């Protein structure tokens, strides 16, 4: 199958940010004297919209405290913002796909403000033909992000592959009737990814790049 559109998740797939997100959730809980979720509990929700994620990661969070929690989460996350980097090899992989005339997109649980900041900081603002964030449409695993990207770029589902590090990404791909590929270097375990029956599961960016190149 030759793909004309590759859609990437951002956190844990292109950006090495999983540990930063987990630390920000845990830090916000400490700031507000709430039970602190384990790293595995906090990492499971990565890829969901932030408010949706918190309902799972911090079930004891009263609705009235949500604004304060979101503020403390953002403070804890932004403290680590300068440390965030793309995974090694990501930039070269994207450049190789572009040379092959493959269109690129992002579907992420980040907010629009957060994604725009990350794109600017990474220098990838011009790399993608379309992007969708969780505050613009339905959150994963709802297929809306992929449906909207495909409509915008006029690409059929059979020519699309979604790349992500969580079962939320792969379930969204299945719900949108597109292929999915899981990466094990992000938030979810291989077993969780295997449960979504993706086309492939890869362990490194280099392996992902080689898999995509072999199909384009």
């Amino acid at each position: 199958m030759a793909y004309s559109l590759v859609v990437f998740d951002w956190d844990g797939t292109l950006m090495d940010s999983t540990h930063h997100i987990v630390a920000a959730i845990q830090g916000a809980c400490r700031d507000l004297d709430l039970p602190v979720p384990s790293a595995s509990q906090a990492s499971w929700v990565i890829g969901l919209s932030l408010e949706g994620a918190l309902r799972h990661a911090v079930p004891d969070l009263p609705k009235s405290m949500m604004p304060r929690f979101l503020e403390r989460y953002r403070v804890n996350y932004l403290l680590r913002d300068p440390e965030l980097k793309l995974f090694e090899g990501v930039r070269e992989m994207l450049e190789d796909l572009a040379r092959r005339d493959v269109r690129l997109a992002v579907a992420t649980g980040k907010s629009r403000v957060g994604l725009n900041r990350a794109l600017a900081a990474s220098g990838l603002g011009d790399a993608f033909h379309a992007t969708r964030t969780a505050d613009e449409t339905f959150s994963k695993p709802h297929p809306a992000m992929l449906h909207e990207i495909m409509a915008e770029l006029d690409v059929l589902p059979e020519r699309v592959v979604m790349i992500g590090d969580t079962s939320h990404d792969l379930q969204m791909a299945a719900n949108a009737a597109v292929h999915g590929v899981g990466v094990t270097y992000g938030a979810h375990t291989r077993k969780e990814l295997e449960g979504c029956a993706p086309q492939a599961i890869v362990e490194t960016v280099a392996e992902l790049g080689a898999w995509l190149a072999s199909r384009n």
Side-chain angles (χ1 to χ4, degrees), residues 6 8 91-104 126-129 216:
V6 179
F8 293 93
R91 197 177 306 276
E92 294 80 5
M93 174 183 64
L94 297 178
E95 290 172 351
D96 180 65
L97 289 169
R99 283 193 295 270
R100 298 171 186 271
D101 292 325
V102 178
R103 285 185 283 182
L104 307 174
D126 296 329
F128 301 101
H129 296 80
N216 288 283

Side-chain angles (χ1 to χ4, degrees), residues 18-100:
T18 298
H19 299 301
H20 299 270
I21 295 171
V22 169
I25 292 173
Q26 292 174 326
C29 288
R30 293 188 188 97
D31 290 348
L32 298 176
D33 295 322
L34 292 166
V36 179
S38 67
S40 61
Q41 288 174 310
S43 64
W44 187 85
V45 304
I46 292 175
L48 301 176
S49 65
L50 184 55
E51 291 193 22
L54 294 179
R55 284 195 291 271
H56 293 274
V58 194
D60 296 327
L61 177 65
K63 189 173 182 180
S64 61
M65 287 183 66
M66 180 69 77
R68 289 179 62 204
F69 191 97
L70 294 175
E71 177 196 6
R72 297 313 305 166
Y73 169 84
R74 293 187 177 103
V75 168
N76 278 271
Y77 186 84
L78 290 174
L79 286 172
R80 299 168 175 83
D81 216 31
E83 305 169 20
L84 293 176
K85 296 180 180 179
L86 297 171
F87 285 107
E88 184 177 354
V90 161
R91 197 177 306 276
E92 294 80 5
M93 174 183 64
L94 297 178
E95 290 172 351
D96 180 65
L97 289 169
R99 283 193 295 270
R100 298 171 186 271

